[in-house]
Amino acid sequence: IPPVADGAYYQIVAQRIATGHGYTWLWPDGAVTPAAHYPVGYPAMVGALYAVFGASPGVAMTLNAVLGALGVLACHRIAASATGRAGALVGGVVVALHPALVAYTPALMTEGVVAALLAIAGALAVEARTAPGTRGHALRVGAAVVIGVGTLVRPQSVLVAPFFGLVSGRRGAGWPGALRAAALTTIVALGTVSPWSLRNCLRMGSPPGTPSP
């Protein structure tokens, strides 16, 4: 599917990122200005691949397919934590063949990408629940980072951070442990997004009511 609608914008920005121009916009009069009209996450990922493999939409579609496959595996792992082998297999197959997710794979759109990222974060959170010690913390932080990346793709994704954190709380630790996990997950997710927020303040002006940098 050729880049259309939002996909056309992602394609242009990804090409500019790939050629070292960053997230900027070239106006018809030749002016170049910093931009942030769409979230940076997806065009940044695509732009990084374009810099290596060339600016072909097929490269972006391959990224979508790889993330989608990882999302299927993540959903299988989530289902396996709550049901048997057969139930997990059915859950994975349903996600793999979901018409909307399949249709979004060959398009430069973010719907399938953010769905996959949230599924991956969910699987890491579920694994963290039963993992001991350092491994559990590492999985919890991994889930938070993936949520942060998902937030850079779709900003509203950050709202799931505390809930995924609660899920990731070590089994048997009770509410205090779950709340600590929720706080950690939220802080790390916000920390993952903060460089982009800082960039916008520096390049595009501070939010109203704050001192200029």
Side-chain angles (χ1 to χ4, degrees):
I1 301 174
V4 295
D6 292 352
Y9 186 92
Y10 294 138
Q11 172 74 358
I12 292 171
V13 176
Q15 288 174 322
R16 292 190 63 78
I17 291 173
T19 54
H21 293 94
Y23 197 151
T24 58
W25 191 256
L26 175 62
W27 297 95
D29 62 0
V32 175
T33 59
H37 301 92
Y38 279 49
V40 68
Y42 186 60
M45 288 189 284
V46 173
L49 293 177
Y50 280 1
V52 177
F53 300 106
S56 166
V59 174
M61 296 169 193
T62 301
L63 170 67
N64 295 355
V66 170
L67 288 174
L70 292 174
V72 170
L73 176 60
C75 288
H76 177 275
R77 296 298 302 163
I78 293 170
S81 70
T83 185
R85 183 176 179 181
L89 179 62
V90 170
V93 170
V94 167
V95 175
L97 301 180
H98 191 288
L101 296 176
V102 171
Y104 271 116
T105 298
L108 271 74
M109 297 290 187
T110 62
E111 283 78 1
V113 170
V114 76
L117 290 172
L118 292 179
I120 294 167
L124 292 172
V126 168
E127 292 286 341
R129 185 171 179 81
T130 56
T134 302
R135 183 170 181 269
H137 287 306
L139 289 168
R140 202 167 291 116
V141 170
V145 170
V146 174
I147 293 171
V149 173
T151 300
L152 292 172
V153 176
R154 282 288 179 100
Q156 57 267 45
S157 300
V158 75
L159 297 176
V160 307
F163 300 103
F164 279 35
L166 287 173
V167 170
S168 74
R170 181 160 174 74
R171 185 173 294 169
W175 277 106
L179 292 174
R180 285 194 298 270
L184 172 66
T185 303
T186 304
I187 290 169
V188 173
L190 291 173
T192 304
V193 178
S194 60
W196 174 243
S197 301
L198 179 61
R199 174 266 186 191
N200 290 340
C201 288
L202 294 175
R203 297 294 302 277
M204 306 184 72
S206 298
T210 61
S212 298

